[in-house]
Amino acid sequence: MSQTAATTTPLITRSFASLLVAQASFGYAFSSYFLLPKFLDTALAARPSEIGLVTAVHGLAVIAFLPLMGAAVDRFGRRDFLTAGALVMAVASFAFTAVNEVGPLLYALRAIQGFAFSMAFAAGAALAVDEAPPERMGQAIGIFGLTFLSMNALAPATVEEVVGRSGWPLAFALAGVAALLCAALSRRLRDVHVPHGDGQRNAGLWEVARRAGQIRVSIVIALVGVALGSVFIFHQPFARELGMTHVRGFFIGYTTAAVAVRVGLGQFVDRVGHRRVSLATLVLYVFAVTGMAGLRPGGLPLYGAALGIAHGLFYPAFNAVAVSGVGEHERGKVMALFQAAFHVGFSGGALGLGLLAERSGYPAVFQASGACVLAALLLLLASPDGRARRTA
């Protein structure tokens, strides 16, 4: 495929645009809970270890269910799972208005939301890859990710404003309304999935998961998940410890930078090469995460922007590394395993780093997270090609 053909192949079709709008609605509901650490800290007086545990419960649900949902959408189709995930998210969000303590209801609802995310993400990601021209895979994944990224700033900023005026229950209810909107919009999507029975052999979930290349990909993205989770979760209580009352600046800086690089440099990822971009951005990632240990008042937007540039380019590039060369009936599995591994790091890191924060303080959390990214960089650098290959 020539470079000219690659840059002129239509990407934003009507069907792809409809998917983006539906996923943006779900993204608002999902991203509203980025301020959950603040809710736990200010409204429920939760300890750092409890904040980490609540985060881990959601992540463990994603880890448990997302690979299964990836296999399911490969077998049965995509659209119905997106609808179901949005409906479950709506119910859980409305139920969140009744949470008034760190207890069984809180943990149960976060687990249910993890299940909802697993359905919606597995279906949406597979639909995005189905719609993408092969030569623009990285750009398509990046744009699909914008549906969540754009809400990473809008939802937390809106939640802080709503909470300041009307309290947390209304903020959670608005998340439920956004999820209902996604469910309604999803019924208008075109499911391009081809059912089984086409004569091709299709690998099972376990067969895909235990490929050597897939294992390397999973370890790398899990280590990155540790780092991103530590910054997203623990910058909030750290900022309050330093006397900051608002944390929206971090999310605005992160999202603005990530959106800018994905829109402005989306084709750059495919042209330069997915693995090269992944390696280069991991270097920036190390400095952005480690630098958070030296946070000072007014610095949240700057650190958010640095992390936004790093993750905004790394995630679609490395996701394209993972999915390159796999067949249609393996895309859901690979995308789901990729995201599940990310949540292994995100949630496991939250649990362990919450304990580290209590013992050694928040700067130690960010230093340890930076070491995880450095390990991911070295592993990717040492791997043969940095991606999961199909085996005969």
Side-chain angles (χ1 to χ4, degrees):
M1 177 70 68
S2 68
Q3 180 173 314
T4 301
T7 57
T8 57
T9 303
L11 179 60
I12 307 299
T13 61
R14 182 176 180 179
S15 181
F16 191 57
S18 298
L19 171 64
L20 296 180
V21 175
Q23 285 291 142
S25 300
F26 187 89
Y28 178 89
F30 175 81
S31 298
S32 293
Y33 293 90
F34 280 152
L35 279 186
L36 194 61
K38 184 175 182 179
F39 168 69
L40 297 173
D41 183 33
T42 60
L44 305 185
R47 301 189 306 273
S49 58
E50 291 177 319
I51 295 174
L53 181 58
V54 171
T55 302
V57 166
H58 176 271
L60 289 172
V62 173
I63 294 163
F65 291 113
L66 190 52
L68 299 177
M69 293 301 106
V73 300
D74 277 343
R75 184 171 183 81
F76 301 110
R78 332 290 202 193
R79 187 180 64 175
D80 290 345
F81 284 89
L82 176 55
T83 303
L87 290 175
V88 173
M89 184 69 172
V91 171
S93 293
F94 289 129
F96 235 100
T97 61
V99 173
N100 55 20
E101 64 177 354
V102 178
L105 178 60
L106 172 63
Y107 292 119
L109 290 177
R110 284 307 279 163
I112 292 170
Q113 288 178 329
F115 175 65
F117 173 81
S118 299
M119 285 194 286
F121 182 86
L127 281 168
V129 174
D130 289 343
E131 292 283 350
E135 70 277 3
R136 302 182 72 176
M137 187 71 68
Q139 187 180 8
I141 293 172
I143 292 175
F144 172 77
L146 288 179
T147 60
F148 282 89
L149 270 176
S150 60
M151 295 299 116
N152 289 174
L154 178 61
T158 302
V159 167
E160 269 197 333
E161 189 65 28
V162 169
V163 169
R165 295 174 180 271
S166 304
W168 288 97
L170 180 58
F172 295 138
L174 289 176
V177 171
L180 285 178
L181 179 59
C182 174
L185 292 172
S186 69
R187 304 317 299 166
R188 305 179 61 181
L189 297 179
R190 177 174 64 98
D191 197 337
V192 300
H193 171 75
V194 177
H196 281 269
D198 54 8
Q200 296 182 2
R201 179 186 178 276
N202 300 296
L205 178 64
W206 175 242
E207 182 181 343
V208 174
R210 64 189 179 90
R211 293 171 182 164
Q214 182 65 50
I215 292 173
R216 284 193 298 270
V217 165
S218 296
I219 294 173
V220 169
I221 195 60
L223 289 169
V224 171
V226 171
L228 189 70
S230 73
V231 177
F232 264 62
I233 297 165
F234 293 111
H235 85 268
Q236 298 178 44
F238 186 34
R240 283 177 49 78
E241 188 178 88
L242 295 174
M244 306 180 209
T245 57
H246 295 289
V247 297
R248 70 188 74 171
F250 172 85
F251 294 103
I252 293 172
Y254 171 83
T255 304
T256 301
V259 170
V261 296
R262 287 198 184 178
V263 172
L265 300 176
Q267 294 186 9
F268 166 84
V269 171
D270 291 311
R271 291 178 182 176
V272 173
H274 303 141
R275 184 168 183 264
R276 289 180 179 178
V277 173
S278 299
L279 289 168
T281 51
L282 279 178
V283 175
L284 175 59
Y285 224 119
V286 172
F287 287 103
V289 173
T290 306
M292 280 291 296
L295 178 66
R296 294 292 181 270
L300 282 177
L302 178 62
Y303 286 111
L307 190 64
I309 293 171
H311 194 72
L313 288 175
F314 170 79
Y315 189 88
F318 195 56
N319 206 162
V321 165
V323 81
S324 295
V326 302
E328 179 185 1
H329 291 292
E330 295 181 12
R331 291 171 182 169
K333 301 181 189 71
V334 171
M335 296 290 281
L337 287 168
F338 185 89
Q339 189 69 10
F342 175 79
H343 275 82
V344 168
F346 195 101
S347 302
L351 189 59
L353 293 173
L355 296 173
L356 178 62
E358 287 190 2
R359 295 179 179 180
S360 304
Y362 293 109
V365 167
F366 303 120
Q367 292 165 355
S369 300
C372 288
V373 182
L374 180 60
L377 171 63
L378 295 176
L379 177 59
L380 181 58
L381 191 63
S383 66
D385 58 2
R387 65 183 178 89
R389 294 179 179 269
R390 283 190 81 185
T391 56

